[in-house]
Amino acid sequence: MSQMNRRRALQLLAALGTTGLVAGCGTDDEDEPAAAGSPIKIGLVAPESGSGKTIGEDIVNGFELYLATHGQRLGGHPVTLVKADEGDNAKTGQAAVNDLLKQGVLALTGVVNPTVMSGIRDIVEQARVPLIGSNASPVSLQSVVYIWRTSYVLDEPGRALGAYLKQRLPASSRVVTIAPEGSLDVVQGFRQGFGVDDPRIAGEPVWTDPTADPGEGTYAPDIRQALSRRPTAIFCHFSGTAAIQFIKQLRRHRPAYTGPIYAPGFLTEGNVLNEVRGVLLDKEDRLLPGPIQTVSNYSADLNNNANRIFASAYRKTFNVSPSTYAMASYDAAQVLDGAIRIAGANPTPQQVNLALGKVGQIDSPRGVWQFNQPRTPQQRWYLRTVQFDGRLLSNVMLNEIATLG
């Protein structure tokens, strides 16, 4: 097994039981013996360095976990997973996709950066090879035939959270938006959900430096500008290293601001909470005032059978809780499993693409979902809050707040 450490995968299967995993996560045909299909190649595009590396690792982990717990097969066919480095811009992403297409992959998956997704659109459509994107999904990516996404459209987290807060924030509230330049989809989604003309929105967004690797003072001037509007709540959009620095730098302005922080789930996803633990807790390890609440299409503590199986397997294999990035990649593998099975014994990329429209409802760790007409998920959105789960600082689900797609 080249993609995942074989010993680790075998230990996982022994600990969890192959039968239970297949019953919880596979397709409707899994009670029948799998046909001995011909070998296939799947191309996975993800960044291997830079600011997107952590998300890329989660995407690889999610896809490999599905393969490891399903006999390294999709639709009955033995799979070779071929990886290519997405890089950090459209040109490097295009080179990665072209390299995978030359190797004769049946389908593509992955892609972290929205700029890369937009940059590879024409290549994928002209090659007529399906891409099941598991993260990047800009609003502008429309009218595509061969690009499907198991994640979300970028304006949806903001729309879900904006509509929720519109009904719950007092009339006297003052909400300031702060986000990096280039986050227009997310911010517009929030303002549309909340109401662009709602008087509780305190002015235009404060746009910050878009760098993915900010320094310890990068956001200080922008935070001061935002706080000068005397907000009672802050909506922001940061992820990875940028999220870590923003939270730390905002917390330095206590007690000037101790109000809530609202954001799409990326703000606290992955290793962010471990890195900012020191500024969220007092000397007795109690949470300081100022809740952080995020909205996501997934929470690792969701109580459904598919998630209990997935989250348990992920923790046993990687020693961390799964992120929404890992879940979406796991689902990309599950979607391909069903589509390739429908396509038959000798699938072509075009047959798989046609079959993707026939997979129907997906029994996912996030809850049941299905593709809508624009080839993105119709799915639920959940409100989470940062609090202790035992001794671990976690994103704990509060409630379901919307269905979008």
Side-chain angles (χ1 to χ4, degrees), residues 175-183 187 191 201-209 218-229 231 234-238 246:
V175 183
V176 170
T177 299
I178 181 168
E181 293 179 9
S183 303
V187 172
R191 291 171 71 91
I201 299 290
E204 293 298 311
V206 176
W207 298 111
T208 72
D209 190 322
T218 299
Y219 301 127
D222 306 305
I223 290 172
R224 286 194 293 269
Q225 179 184 346
L227 296 186
S228 70
R229 301 180 189 177
I234 286 176
F235 173 81
C236 63
H237 171 58
F238 296 91
F246 177 77

PDB file of all heavy atoms in Angstrom, residues 175-183 187 191 201-209 218-229 231 234-238 246:
ATOM      1  N   VAL A 175     -22.186  45.233  14.480  1.00  0.00           N
ATOM      2  CA  VAL A 175     -21.379  44.131  13.962  1.00  0.00           C
ATOM      3  C   VAL A 175     -20.352  44.677  12.980  1.00  0.00           C
ATOM      4  O   VAL A 175     -20.709  45.310  11.981  1.00  0.00           O
ATOM      5  CB  VAL A 175     -22.253  43.070  13.262  1.00  0.00           C
ATOM      6  CG1 VAL A 175     -21.389  41.900  12.793  1.00  0.00           C
ATOM      7  CG2 VAL A 175     -23.359  42.593  14.195  1.00  0.00           C
ATOM      8  N   VAL A 176     -19.086  44.436  13.262  1.00  0.00           N
ATOM      9  CA  VAL A 176     -18.003  44.839  12.370  1.00  0.00           C
ATOM     10  C   VAL A 176     -17.456  43.599  11.674  1.00  0.00           C
ATOM     11  O   VAL A 176     -17.233  42.562  12.303  1.00  0.00           O
ATOM     12  CB  VAL A 176     -16.881  45.552  13.146  1.00  0.00           C
ATOM     13  CG1 VAL A 176     -15.655  45.758  12.253  1.00  0.00           C
ATOM     14  CG2 VAL A 176     -17.368  46.896  13.659  1.00  0.00           C
ATOM     15  N   THR A 177     -17.236  43.721  10.374  1.00  0.00           N
ATOM     16  CA  THR A 177     -16.664  42.634   9.579  1.00  0.00           C
ATOM     17  C   THR A 177     -15.205  42.935   9.281  1.00  0.00           C
ATOM     18  O   THR A 177     -14.872  44.049   8.858  1.00  0.00           O
ATOM     19  CB  THR A 177     -17.435  42.481   8.252  1.00  0.00           C
ATOM     20  OG1 THR A 177     -18.792  42.158   8.536  1.00  0.00           O
ATOM     21  CG2 THR A 177     -16.831  41.389   7.393  1.00  0.00           C
ATOM     22  N   ILE A 178     -14.352  41.944   9.499  1.00  0.00           N
ATOM     23  CA  ILE A 178     -12.928  42.099   9.212  1.00  0.00           C
ATOM     24  C   ILE A 178     -12.432  40.816   8.563  1.00  0.00           C
ATOM     25  O   ILE A 178     -12.677  39.720   9.058  1.00  0.00           O
ATOM     26  CB  ILE A 178     -12.131  42.448  10.499  1.00  0.00           C
ATOM     27  CG1 ILE A 178     -10.646  42.621  10.187  1.00  0.00           C
ATOM     28  CG2 ILE A 178     -12.364  41.437  11.594  1.00  0.00           C
ATOM     29  CD1 ILE A 178      -9.852  43.249  11.338  1.00  0.00           C
ATOM     30  N   ALA A 179     -11.758  40.957   7.422  1.00  0.00           N
ATOM     31  CA  ALA A 179     -11.327  39.788   6.656  1.00  0.00           C
ATOM     32  C   ALA A 179     -10.240  40.194   5.677  1.00  0.00           C
ATOM     33  O   ALA A 179     -10.118  41.368   5.315  1.00  0.00           O
ATOM     34  CB  ALA A 179     -12.513  39.188   5.897  1.00  0.00           C
ATOM     35  N   PRO A 180      -9.436  39.233   5.216  1.00  0.00           N
ATOM     36  CA  PRO A 180      -8.393  39.553   4.239  1.00  0.00           C
ATOM     37  C   PRO A 180      -8.988  39.956   2.895  1.00  0.00           C
ATOM     38  O   PRO A 180     -10.063  39.476   2.505  1.00  0.00           O
ATOM     39  CB  PRO A 180      -7.613  38.235   4.108  1.00  0.00           C
ATOM     40  CG  PRO A 180      -8.006  37.421   5.279  1.00  0.00           C
ATOM     41  CD  PRO A 180      -9.390  37.830   5.638  1.00  0.00           C
ATOM     42  N   GLU A 181      -8.296  40.819   2.190  1.00  0.00           N
ATOM     43  CA  GLU A 181      -8.672  41.111   0.807  1.00  0.00           C
ATOM     44  C   GLU A 181      -8.701  39.796   0.034  1.00  0.00           C
ATOM     45  O   GLU A 181      -7.855  38.945   0.206  1.00  0.00           O
ATOM     46  CB  GLU A 181      -7.663  42.071   0.178  1.00  0.00           C
ATOM     47  CG  GLU A 181      -7.662  43.458   0.789  1.00  0.00           C
ATOM     48  CD  GLU A 181      -6.625  44.361   0.151  1.00  0.00           C
ATOM     49  OE1 GLU A 181      -6.029  43.946  -0.876  1.00  0.00           O
ATOM     50  OE2 GLU A 181      -6.394  45.460   0.667  1.00  0.00           O
ATOM     51  N   GLY A 182      -9.705  39.647  -0.815  1.00  0.00           N
ATOM     52  CA  GLY A 182      -9.861  38.390  -1.537  1.00  0.00           C
ATOM     53  C   GLY A 182     -10.915  37.488  -0.928  1.00  0.00           C
ATOM     54  O   GLY A 182     -11.181  36.410  -1.454  1.00  0.00           O
ATOM     55  N   SER A 183     -11.525  37.916   0.180  1.00  0.00           N
ATOM     56  CA  SER A 183     -12.549  37.124   0.855  1.00  0.00           C
ATOM     57  C   SER A 183     -13.952  37.592   0.512  1.00  0.00           C
ATOM     58  O   SER A 183     -14.879  37.445   1.308  1.00  0.00           O
ATOM     59  CB  SER A 183     -12.354  37.204   2.377  1.00  0.00           C
ATOM     60  OG  SER A 183     -11.077  36.782   2.766  1.00  0.00           O
ATOM     61  N   VAL A 187     -17.622  37.256   2.722  1.00  0.00           N
ATOM     62  CA  VAL A 187     -18.175  38.466   3.338  1.00  0.00           C
ATOM     63  C   VAL A 187     -19.516  38.843   2.709  1.00  0.00           C
ATOM     64  O   VAL A 187     -20.470  39.191   3.420  1.00  0.00           O
ATOM     65  CB  VAL A 187     -17.168  39.630   3.218  1.00  0.00           C
ATOM     66  CG1 VAL A 187     -17.796  40.944   3.669  1.00  0.00           C
ATOM     67  CG2 VAL A 187     -15.918  39.326   4.055  1.00  0.00           C
ATOM     68  N   ARG A 191     -23.205  39.280   4.570  1.00  0.00           N
ATOM     69  CA  ARG A 191     -24.005  40.501   4.480  1.00  0.00           C
ATOM     70  C   ARG A 191     -25.360  40.233   3.811  1.00  0.00           C
ATOM     71  O   ARG A 191     -26.364  40.841   4.171  1.00  0.00           O
ATOM     72  CB  ARG A 191     -23.223  41.580   3.733  1.00  0.00           C
ATOM     73  CG  ARG A 191     -22.022  42.093   4.541  1.00  0.00           C
ATOM     74  CD  ARG A 191     -21.126  42.992   3.706  1.00  0.00           C
ATOM     75  NE  ARG A 191     -21.749  44.279   3.413  1.00  0.00           N
ATOM     76  CZ  ARG A 191     -21.625  45.363   4.170  1.00  0.00           C
ATOM     77  NH1 ARG A 191     -20.920  45.308   5.299  1.00  0.00           N
ATOM     78  NH2 ARG A 191     -22.198  46.494   3.830  1.00  0.00           N
ATOM     79  N   ILE A 201     -25.146  46.477  10.969  1.00  0.00           N
ATOM     80  CA  ILE A 201     -23.848  46.332  10.311  1.00  0.00           C
ATOM     81  C   ILE A 201     -23.121  47.670  10.403  1.00  0.00           C
ATOM     82  O   ILE A 201     -23.564  48.679   9.852  1.00  0.00           O
ATOM     83  CB  ILE A 201     -24.004  45.925   8.839  1.00  0.00           C
ATOM     84  CG1 ILE A 201     -24.710  44.567   8.728  1.00  0.00           C
ATOM     85  CG2 ILE A 201     -22.659  45.898   8.148  1.00  0.00           C
ATOM     86  CD1 ILE A 201     -23.889  43.406   9.205  1.00  0.00           C
ATOM     87  N   ALA A 202     -21.995  47.690  11.102  1.00  0.00           N
ATOM     88  CA  ALA A 202     -21.284  48.937  11.398  1.00  0.00           C
ATOM     89  C   ALA A 202     -20.272  49.267  10.302  1.00  0.00           C
ATOM     90  O   ALA A 202     -19.064  49.055  10.445  1.00  0.00           O
ATOM     91  CB  ALA A 202     -20.592  48.834  12.752  1.00  0.00           C
ATOM     92  N   GLY A 203     -20.782  49.785   9.202  1.00  0.00           N
ATOM     93  CA  GLY A 203     -19.898  50.255   8.144  1.00  0.00           C
ATOM     94  C   GLY A 203     -19.441  49.156   7.204  1.00  0.00           C
ATOM     95  O   GLY A 203     -19.816  47.994   7.308  1.00  0.00           O
ATOM     96  N   GLU A 204     -18.571  49.549   6.266  1.00  0.00           N
ATOM     97  CA  GLU A 204     -18.028  48.621   5.285  1.00  0.00           C
ATOM     98  C   GLU A 204     -17.014  47.678   5.949  1.00  0.00           C
ATOM     99  O   GLU A 204     -16.477  47.976   7.022  1.00  0.00           O
ATOM    100  CB  GLU A 204     -17.352  49.401   4.151  1.00  0.00           C
ATOM    101  CG  GLU A 204     -18.323  50.200   3.301  1.00  0.00           C
ATOM    102  CD  GLU A 204     -19.321  49.303   2.597  1.00  0.00           C
ATOM    103  OE1 GLU A 204     -18.899  48.301   1.980  1.00  0.00           O
ATOM    104  OE2 GLU A 204     -20.535  49.595   2.669  1.00  0.00           O
ATOM    105  N   PRO A 205     -16.743  46.546   5.325  1.00  0.00           N
ATOM    106  CA  PRO A 205     -15.758  45.616   5.909  1.00  0.00           C
ATOM    107  C   PRO A 205     -14.381  46.261   6.056  1.00  0.00           C
ATOM    108  O   PRO A 205     -13.992  47.115   5.267  1.00  0.00           O
ATOM    109  CB  PRO A 205     -15.713  44.475   4.892  1.00  0.00           C
ATOM    110  CG  PRO A 205     -17.004  44.556   4.142  1.00  0.00           C
ATOM    111  CD  PRO A 205     -17.360  46.010   4.098  1.00  0.00           C
ATOM    112  N   VAL A 206     -13.667  45.841   7.072  1.00  0.00           N
ATOM    113  CA  VAL A 206     -12.261  46.213   7.231  1.00  0.00           C
ATOM    114  C   VAL A 206     -11.440  45.131   6.542  1.00  0.00           C
ATOM    115  O   VAL A 206     -11.459  43.971   6.960  1.00  0.00           O
ATOM    116  CB  VAL A 206     -11.878  46.313   8.722  1.00  0.00           C
ATOM    117  CG1 VAL A 206     -10.381  46.600   8.857  1.00  0.00           C
ATOM    118  CG2 VAL A 206     -12.704  47.382   9.423  1.00  0.00           C
ATOM    119  N   TRP A 207     -10.746  45.508   5.477  1.00  0.00           N
ATOM    120  CA  TRP A 207      -9.966  44.528   4.718  1.00  0.00           C
ATOM    121  C   TRP A 207      -8.527  44.509   5.208  1.00  0.00           C
ATOM    122  O   TRP A 207      -7.897  45.546   5.348  1.00  0.00           O
ATOM    123  CB  TRP A 207      -9.996  44.861   3.226  1.00  0.00           C
ATOM    124  CG  TRP A 207     -11.372  44.828   2.622  1.00  0.00           C
ATOM    125  CD1 TRP A 207     -12.099  45.895   2.166  1.00  0.00           C
ATOM    126  CD2 TRP A 207     -12.198  43.679   2.420  1.00  0.00           C
ATOM    127  NE1 TRP A 207     -13.309  45.483   1.687  1.00  0.00           N
ATOM    128  CE2 TRP A 207     -13.413  44.123   1.832  1.00  0.00           C
ATOM    129  CE3 TRP A 207     -12.045  42.315   2.689  1.00  0.00           C
ATOM    130  CZ2 TRP A 207     -14.449  43.256   1.502  1.00  0.00           C
ATOM    131  CZ3 TRP A 207     -13.077  41.449   2.359  1.00  0.00           C
ATOM    132  CH2 TRP A 207     -14.264  41.915   1.768  1.00  0.00           C
ATOM    133  N   THR A 208      -8.003  43.315   5.439  1.00  0.00           N
ATOM    134  CA  THR A 208      -6.644  43.162   5.955  1.00  0.00           C
ATOM    135  C   THR A 208      -5.712  42.653   4.865  1.00  0.00           C
ATOM    136  O   THR A 208      -6.143  42.274   3.778  1.00  0.00           O
ATOM    137  CB  THR A 208      -6.612  42.173   7.130  1.00  0.00           C
ATOM    138  OG1 THR A 208      -6.810  40.836   6.635  1.00  0.00           O
ATOM    139  CG2 THR A 208      -7.680  42.497   8.155  1.00  0.00           C
ATOM    140  N   ASP A 209      -4.447  42.638   5.198  1.00  0.00           N
ATOM    141  CA  ASP A 209      -3.425  42.068   4.314  1.00  0.00           C
ATOM    142  C   ASP A 209      -3.800  40.618   3.992  1.00  0.00           C
ATOM    143  O   ASP A 209      -4.076  39.827   4.895  1.00  0.00           O
ATOM    144  CB  ASP A 209      -2.071  42.113   5.040  1.00  0.00           C
ATOM    145  CG  ASP A 209      -0.909  41.759   4.128  1.00  0.00           C
ATOM    146  OD1 ASP A 209      -1.052  40.873   3.280  1.00  0.00           O
ATOM    147  OD2 ASP A 209       0.166  42.374   4.282  1.00  0.00           O
ATOM    148  N   THR A 218       0.846  42.078  12.025  1.00  0.00           N
ATOM    149  CA  THR A 218       0.240  42.336  10.715  1.00  0.00           C
ATOM    150  C   THR A 218      -1.154  42.931  10.823  1.00  0.00           C
ATOM    151  O   THR A 218      -1.513  43.866  10.100  1.00  0.00           O
ATOM    152  CB  THR A 218       0.188  41.039   9.887  1.00  0.00           C
ATOM    153  OG1 THR A 218       1.516  40.553   9.670  1.00  0.00           O
ATOM    154  CG2 THR A 218      -0.496  41.270   8.543  1.00  0.00           C
ATOM    155  N   TYR A 219      -1.964  42.410  11.740  1.00  0.00           N
ATOM    156  CA  TYR A 219      -3.370  42.814  11.802  1.00  0.00           C
ATOM    157  C   TYR A 219      -3.650  43.934  12.806  1.00  0.00           C
ATOM    158  O   TYR A 219      -4.792  44.387  12.922  1.00  0.00           O
ATOM    159  CB  TYR A 219      -4.243  41.602  12.151  1.00  0.00           C
ATOM    160  CG  TYR A 219      -4.121  40.474  11.166  1.00  0.00           C
ATOM    161  CD1 TYR A 219      -3.810  39.183  11.597  1.00  0.00           C
ATOM    162  CD2 TYR A 219      -4.315  40.694   9.806  1.00  0.00           C
ATOM    163  CE1 TYR A 219      -3.703  38.141  10.690  1.00  0.00           C
ATOM    164  CE2 TYR A 219      -4.195  39.652   8.894  1.00  0.00           C
ATOM    165  CZ  TYR A 219      -3.892  38.377   9.338  1.00  0.00           C
ATOM    166  OH  TYR A 219      -3.770  37.342   8.433  1.00  0.00           O
ATOM    167  N   ALA A 220      -2.628  44.384  13.530  1.00  0.00           N
ATOM    168  CA  ALA A 220      -2.853  45.362  14.599  1.00  0.00           C
ATOM    169  C   ALA A 220      -3.541  46.641  14.099  1.00  0.00           C
ATOM    170  O   ALA A 220      -4.526  47.086  14.707  1.00  0.00           O
ATOM    171  CB  ALA A 220      -1.537  45.694  15.294  1.00  0.00           C
ATOM    172  N   PRO A 221      -3.086  47.280  13.004  1.00  0.00           N
ATOM    173  CA  PRO A 221      -3.773  48.503  12.549  1.00  0.00           C
ATOM    174  C   PRO A 221      -5.221  48.253  12.144  1.00  0.00           C
ATOM    175  O   PRO A 221      -6.102  49.082  12.422  1.00  0.00           O
ATOM    176  CB  PRO A 221      -2.929  48.950  11.348  1.00  0.00           C
ATOM    177  CG  PRO A 221      -1.610  48.275  11.507  1.00  0.00           C
ATOM    178  CD  PRO A 221      -1.913  46.975  12.167  1.00  0.00           C
ATOM    179  N   ASP A 222      -5.484  47.125  11.512  1.00  0.00           N
ATOM    180  CA  ASP A 222      -6.846  46.813  11.072  1.00  0.00           C
ATOM    181  C   ASP A 222      -7.753  46.516  12.262  1.00  0.00           C
ATOM    182  O   ASP A 222      -8.931  46.896  12.269  1.00  0.00           O
ATOM    183  CB  ASP A 222      -6.823  45.627  10.119  1.00  0.00           C
ATOM    184  CG  ASP A 222      -5.875  45.845   8.951  1.00  0.00           C
ATOM    185  OD1 ASP A 222      -6.029  46.860   8.258  1.00  0.00           O
ATOM    186  OD2 ASP A 222      -4.972  45.013   8.761  1.00  0.00           O
ATOM    187  N   ILE A 223      -7.212  45.854  13.264  1.00  0.00           N
ATOM    188  CA  ILE A 223      -7.994  45.579  14.469  1.00  0.00           C
ATOM    189  C   ILE A 223      -8.334  46.880  15.186  1.00  0.00           C
ATOM    190  O   ILE A 223      -9.469  47.075  15.649  1.00  0.00           O
ATOM    191  CB  ILE A 223      -7.237  44.606  15.394  1.00  0.00           C
ATOM    192  CG1 ILE A 223      -7.199  43.205  14.760  1.00  0.00           C
ATOM    193  CG2 ILE A 223      -7.877  44.550  16.779  1.00  0.00           C
ATOM    194  CD1 ILE A 223      -6.319  42.217  15.491  1.00  0.00           C
ATOM    195  N   ARG A 224      -7.369  47.790  15.263  1.00  0.00           N
ATOM    196  CA  ARG A 224      -7.649  49.091  15.891  1.00  0.00           C
ATOM    197  C   ARG A 224      -8.742  49.836  15.124  1.00  0.00           C
ATOM    198  O   ARG A 224      -9.627  50.459  15.725  1.00  0.00           O
ATOM    199  CB  ARG A 224      -6.374  49.919  15.969  1.00  0.00           C
ATOM    200  CG  ARG A 224      -5.390  49.439  17.033  1.00  0.00           C
ATOM    201  CD  ARG A 224      -4.318  50.483  17.310  1.00  0.00           C
ATOM    202  NE  ARG A 224      -3.443  50.672  16.168  1.00  0.00           N
ATOM    203  CZ  ARG A 224      -2.315  49.983  15.972  1.00  0.00           C
ATOM    204  NH1 ARG A 224      -1.941  49.054  16.845  1.00  0.00           N
ATOM    205  NH2 ARG A 224      -1.555  50.220  14.904  1.00  0.00           N
ATOM    206  N   GLN A 225      -8.687  49.755  13.788  1.00  0.00           N
ATOM    207  CA  GLN A 225      -9.717  50.407  12.976  1.00  0.00           C
ATOM    208  C   GLN A 225     -11.087  49.789  13.251  1.00  0.00           C
ATOM    209  O   GLN A 225     -12.093  50.496  13.407  1.00  0.00           O
ATOM    210  CB  GLN A 225      -9.381  50.270  11.487  1.00  0.00           C
ATOM    211  CG  GLN A 225     -10.431  50.925  10.573  1.00  0.00           C
ATOM    212  CD  GLN A 225     -10.139  50.686   9.103  1.00  0.00           C
ATOM    213  OE1 GLN A 225      -9.045  50.266   8.736  1.00  0.00           O
ATOM    214  NE2 GLN A 225     -11.117  50.942   8.256  1.00  0.00           N
ATOM    215  N   ALA A 226     -11.134  48.469  13.336  1.00  0.00           N
ATOM    216  CA  ALA A 226     -12.404  47.795  13.598  1.00  0.00           C
ATOM    217  C   ALA A 226     -12.941  48.156  14.981  1.00  0.00           C
ATOM    218  O   ALA A 226     -14.139  48.445  15.141  1.00  0.00           O
ATOM    219  CB  ALA A 226     -12.214  46.281  13.482  1.00  0.00           C
ATOM    220  N   LEU A 227     -12.077  48.181  15.980  1.00  0.00           N
ATOM    221  CA  LEU A 227     -12.529  48.457  17.347  1.00  0.00           C
ATOM    222  C   LEU A 227     -12.923  49.919  17.528  1.00  0.00           C
ATOM    223  O   LEU A 227     -13.698  50.245  18.448  1.00  0.00           O
ATOM    224  CB  LEU A 227     -11.446  48.069  18.351  1.00  0.00           C
ATOM    225  CG  LEU A 227     -11.092  46.577  18.412  1.00  0.00           C
ATOM    226  CD1 LEU A 227     -10.103  46.302  19.541  1.00  0.00           C
ATOM    227  CD2 LEU A 227     -12.339  45.724  18.587  1.00  0.00           C
ATOM    228  N   SER A 228     -12.417  50.801  16.658  1.00  0.00           N
ATOM    229  CA  SER A 228     -12.806  52.211  16.753  1.00  0.00           C
ATOM    230  C   SER A 228     -14.289  52.413  16.450  1.00  0.00           C
ATOM    231  O   SER A 228     -14.865  53.447  16.799  1.00  0.00           O
ATOM    232  CB  SER A 228     -11.965  53.062  15.794  1.00  0.00           C
ATOM    233  OG  SER A 228     -12.315  52.809  14.441  1.00  0.00           O
ATOM    234  N   ARG A 229     -14.919  51.416  15.850  1.00  0.00           N
ATOM    235  CA  ARG A 229     -16.355  51.489  15.565  1.00  0.00           C
ATOM    236  C   ARG A 229     -17.199  50.977  16.735  1.00  0.00           C
ATOM    237  O   ARG A 229     -18.410  50.872  16.607  1.00  0.00           O
ATOM    238  CB  ARG A 229     -16.676  50.693  14.300  1.00  0.00           C
ATOM    239  CG  ARG A 229     -15.926  51.175  13.065  1.00  0.00           C
ATOM    240  CD  ARG A 229     -16.288  50.351  11.840  1.00  0.00           C
ATOM    241  NE  ARG A 229     -15.422  50.671  10.712  1.00  0.00           N
ATOM    242  CZ  ARG A 229     -15.477  50.049   9.530  1.00  0.00           C
ATOM    243  NH1 ARG A 229     -16.379  49.096   9.333  1.00  0.00           N
ATOM    244  NH2 ARG A 229     -14.658  50.392   8.550  1.00  0.00           N
ATOM    245  N   PRO A 231     -17.629  47.926  18.259  1.00  0.00           N
ATOM    246  CA  PRO A 231     -18.501  46.786  17.949  1.00  0.00           C
ATOM    247  C   PRO A 231     -18.949  46.046  19.200  1.00  0.00           C
ATOM    248  O   PRO A 231     -18.243  46.006  20.213  1.00  0.00           O
ATOM    249  CB  PRO A 231     -17.600  45.893  17.100  1.00  0.00           C
ATOM    250  CG  PRO A 231     -16.217  46.190  17.585  1.00  0.00           C
ATOM    251  CD  PRO A 231     -16.223  47.663  17.892  1.00  0.00           C
ATOM    252  N   ILE A 234     -18.050  40.740  16.336  1.00  0.00           N
ATOM    253  CA  ILE A 234     -17.141  40.769  15.192  1.00  0.00           C
ATOM    254  C   ILE A 234     -17.394  39.546  14.337  1.00  0.00           C
ATOM    255  O   ILE A 234     -17.473  38.423  14.846  1.00  0.00           O
ATOM    256  CB  ILE A 234     -15.665  40.805  15.648  1.00  0.00           C
ATOM    257  CG1 ILE A 234     -15.310  42.196  16.189  1.00  0.00           C
ATOM    258  CG2 ILE A 234     -14.720  40.434  14.510  1.00  0.00           C
ATOM    259  CD1 ILE A 234     -13.914  42.304  16.747  1.00  0.00           C
ATOM    260  N   PHE A 235     -17.532  39.771  13.029  1.00  0.00           N
ATOM    261  CA  PHE A 235     -17.552  38.676  12.063  1.00  0.00           C
ATOM    262  C   PHE A 235     -16.248  38.730  11.294  1.00  0.00           C
ATOM    263  O   PHE A 235     -15.854  39.788  10.784  1.00  0.00           O
ATOM    264  CB  PHE A 235     -18.725  38.804  11.092  1.00  0.00           C
ATOM    265  CG  PHE A 235     -18.676  37.783   9.974  1.00  0.00           C
ATOM    266  CD1 PHE A 235     -19.117  36.488  10.182  1.00  0.00           C
ATOM    267  CD2 PHE A 235     -18.158  38.123   8.729  1.00  0.00           C
ATOM    268  CE1 PHE A 235     -19.054  35.544   9.165  1.00  0.00           C
ATOM    269  CE2 PHE A 235     -18.093  37.188   7.700  1.00  0.00           C
ATOM    270  CZ  PHE A 235     -18.545  35.893   7.925  1.00  0.00           C
ATOM    271  N   CYS A 236     -15.552  37.595  11.197  1.00  0.00           N
ATOM    272  CA  CYS A 236     -14.263  37.574  10.519  1.00  0.00           C
ATOM    273  C   CYS A 236     -14.130  36.306   9.680  1.00  0.00           C
ATOM    274  O   CYS A 236     -14.943  35.383   9.778  1.00  0.00           O
ATOM    275  CB  CYS A 236     -13.120  37.667  11.527  1.00  0.00           C
ATOM    276  SG  CYS A 236     -13.022  36.274  12.674  1.00  0.00           S
ATOM    277  N   HIS A 237     -13.092  36.286   8.865  1.00  0.00           N
ATOM    278  CA  HIS A 237     -12.832  35.119   8.011  1.00  0.00           C
ATOM    279  C   HIS A 237     -11.333  34.936   7.865  1.00  0.00           C
ATOM    280  O   HIS A 237     -10.672  35.646   7.097  1.00  0.00           O
ATOM    281  CB  HIS A 237     -13.477  35.306   6.640  1.00  0.00           C
ATOM    282  CG  HIS A 237     -13.061  34.247   5.651  1.00  0.00           C
ATOM    283  ND1 HIS A 237     -13.273  32.911   5.875  1.00  0.00           N
ATOM    284  CD2 HIS A 237     -12.454  34.341   4.435  1.00  0.00           C
ATOM    285  CE1 HIS A 237     -12.820  32.213   4.849  1.00  0.00           C
ATOM    286  NE2 HIS A 237     -12.303  33.055   3.968  1.00  0.00           N
ATOM    287  N   PHE A 238     -10.783  33.993   8.628  1.00  0.00           N
ATOM    288  CA  PHE A 238      -9.365  33.662   8.552  1.00  0.00           C
ATOM    289  C   PHE A 238      -9.223  32.149   8.703  1.00  0.00           C
ATOM    290  O   PHE A 238     -10.109  31.486   9.241  1.00  0.00           O
ATOM    291  CB  PHE A 238      -8.564  34.359   9.665  1.00  0.00           C
ATOM    292  CG  PHE A 238      -8.575  35.858   9.572  1.00  0.00           C
ATOM    293  CD1 PHE A 238      -9.557  36.600  10.223  1.00  0.00           C
ATOM    294  CD2 PHE A 238      -7.612  36.529   8.833  1.00  0.00           C
ATOM    295  CE1 PHE A 238      -9.580  37.989  10.142  1.00  0.00           C
ATOM    296  CE2 PHE A 238      -7.619  37.917   8.743  1.00  0.00           C
ATOM    297  CZ  PHE A 238      -8.610  38.644   9.397  1.00  0.00           C
ATOM    298  N   PHE A 246      -4.583  36.242  13.870  1.00  0.00           N
ATOM    299  CA  PHE A 246      -5.689  37.168  14.097  1.00  0.00           C
ATOM    300  C   PHE A 246      -6.255  37.011  15.499  1.00  0.00           C
ATOM    301  O   PHE A 246      -6.483  38.004  16.202  1.00  0.00           O
ATOM    302  CB  PHE A 246      -6.794  36.961  13.058  1.00  0.00           C
ATOM    303  CG  PHE A 246      -7.982  37.850  13.309  1.00  0.00           C
ATOM    304  CD1 PHE A 246      -7.938  39.192  12.975  1.00  0.00           C
ATOM    305  CD2 PHE A 246      -9.125  37.358  13.924  1.00  0.00           C
ATOM    306  CE1 PHE A 246      -9.020  40.035  13.225  1.00  0.00           C
ATOM    307  CE2 PHE A 246     -10.215  38.180  14.177  1.00  0.00           C
ATOM    308  CZ  PHE A 246     -10.162  39.525  13.833  1.00  0.00           C
TER     309      PHE A 246
END
